[in-house]
């Protein structure tokens, strides 16, 4: 059986090697690259991201990552965003009162969590969307690893998208499954066995 090919997009942000290792452990053939041809050809494209929304978007645009994502989604080819790689899929990010434009795959804004202690860091449960592929085989009390101060706290996208929520003083989107485009606010590559199951589910669907 041929292993599914995955490109982890290298645009200067994210836990590239840890994402690569996690995906390889679940059976994918993984390349870390900014090469547009490789990213276009791969069965799946993973967009990681850590740090500030604006900085991630700047790096992404330098390698035409926003266009790569748009082209893959238009062609119904799978893309998975992780952490800030999820956030930049939205239209806007607002940090320190400054608004930055995102990829615009989903409408709406990513905003600061209204919580007494920021960042939200550590293990948390999620309320998975029924019928979704990412969380198949995982119990309702499964915990995933989060490190973030910002999140999408409303959904303004397609009505048939599958939404997974979590809460840290306020509810926020922990994952979205929307046709070929999926994303997690948590880090599956840092979430142990649970993260491995989720990544395996994603790879199986490629």
């Amino acid at each position: 059986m041929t292993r599914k090919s995955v490109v982890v997009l290298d645009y200067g942000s994210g836990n590239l090697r840890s994402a690569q290792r996690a995906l390889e452990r679940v059976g994918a053939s993984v390349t870390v690259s900014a090469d547009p041809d490789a990213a276009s050809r791969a069965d799946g494209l993973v967009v990681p991201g850590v740090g500030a929304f604006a900085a991630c978007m700047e790096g992404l645009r330098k390698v035409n990552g926003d266009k790569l994502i748009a082209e893959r989604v238009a062609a119904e080819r799978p893309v998975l965003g992780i952490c800030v790689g999820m956030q930049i899929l939205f239209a806007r990010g607002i940090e320190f009162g400054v608004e930055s434009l995102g990829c615009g795959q989903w409408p709406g804004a990513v905003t600061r969590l209204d919580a007494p202690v920021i960042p939200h860091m550590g293990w948390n449960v999620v309320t998975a969307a029924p019928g979704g592929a990412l969380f198949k085989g995982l119990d309702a009390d499964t915990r995933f690893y989060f490190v973030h101060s910002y999140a999408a706290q409303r959904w303004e996208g397609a009505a048939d998208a599958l939404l997974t929520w979590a809460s840290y003083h306020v509810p926020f989107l922990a994952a979205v499954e929307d046709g070929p485009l999926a994303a997690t606010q948590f880090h599956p590559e840092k979430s142990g066995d649970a993260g491995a199951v989720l990544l395996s589910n994603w790879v199986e669907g490629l």
Side-chain angles (χ1 to χ4, degrees):
M1 181 174 156
T2 305
R3 292 196 298 167
K4 299 291 187 179
S5 61
V6 173
V7 164
V8 176
L9 188 62
D10 183 1
Y11 65 99
S13 179
N15 300 297
L16 303 177
R17 299 302 168 187
S18 57
Q20 178 184 18
R21 287 192 297 269
L23 286 155
E24 287 173 342
R25 279 197 295 269
V26 299
S29 174
V30 187
T31 305
V32 175
S33 178
D35 177 55
D37 292 333
S40 296
R41 287 194 309 268
D43 296 317
L45 178 67
V46 172
V47 183
V50 295
F53 185 105
C56 283
M57 279 306 304
E58 183 181 355
L60 193 69
R61 290 193 183 101
K62 283 180 179 174
V63 300
N64 289 319
D66 50 341
K67 293 177 183 174
L68 276 171
I69 292 167
E71 287 168 1
R72 284 190 64 97
V73 171
E76 295 285 313
R77 293 179 60 72
V79 176
L80 175 66
I82 295 174
C83 196
V84 183
M86 170 177 176
Q87 295 177 11
I88 51 95
L89 296 172
F90 287 86
R92 308 185 314 284
I94 302 169
E95 294 177 327
F96 308 111
V98 177
E99 184 171 306
S100 304
L101 292 179
C103 291
Q105 289 296 320
W106 295 323
V110 170
T111 54
R112 190 178 189 273
L113 294 171
D114 185 9
V117 177
I118 289 293
H120 169 217
M121 184 164 61
W123 298 86
N124 202 347
V125 295
V126 303
T127 304
L134 289 182
F135 297 90
K136 183 178 65 178
L138 291 167
D139 295 333
D141 60 353
T142 299
R143 292 176 178 269
F144 295 90
Y145 190 79
F146 292 84
V147 185
H148 64 118
S149 301
Y150 295 81
Q153 297 172 60
R154 294 175 53 198
W155 178 252
E156 302 171 31
D160 59 352
L162 299 175
L163 309 178
T164 291
W165 294 86
S167 183
Y168 179 67
H169 298 277
V170 291
F172 64 89
L173 279 164
V176 176
E177 297 173 69
D178 182 21
L181 190 56
T184 65
Q185 179 59 68
F186 53 83
H187 287 274
E189 79 281 7
K190 295 181 179 179
S191 294
D193 292 343
V197 170
L198 184 142
L199 290 174
S200 178
N201 287 339
W202 183 72
V203 169
E204 282 178 18
L206 298 177

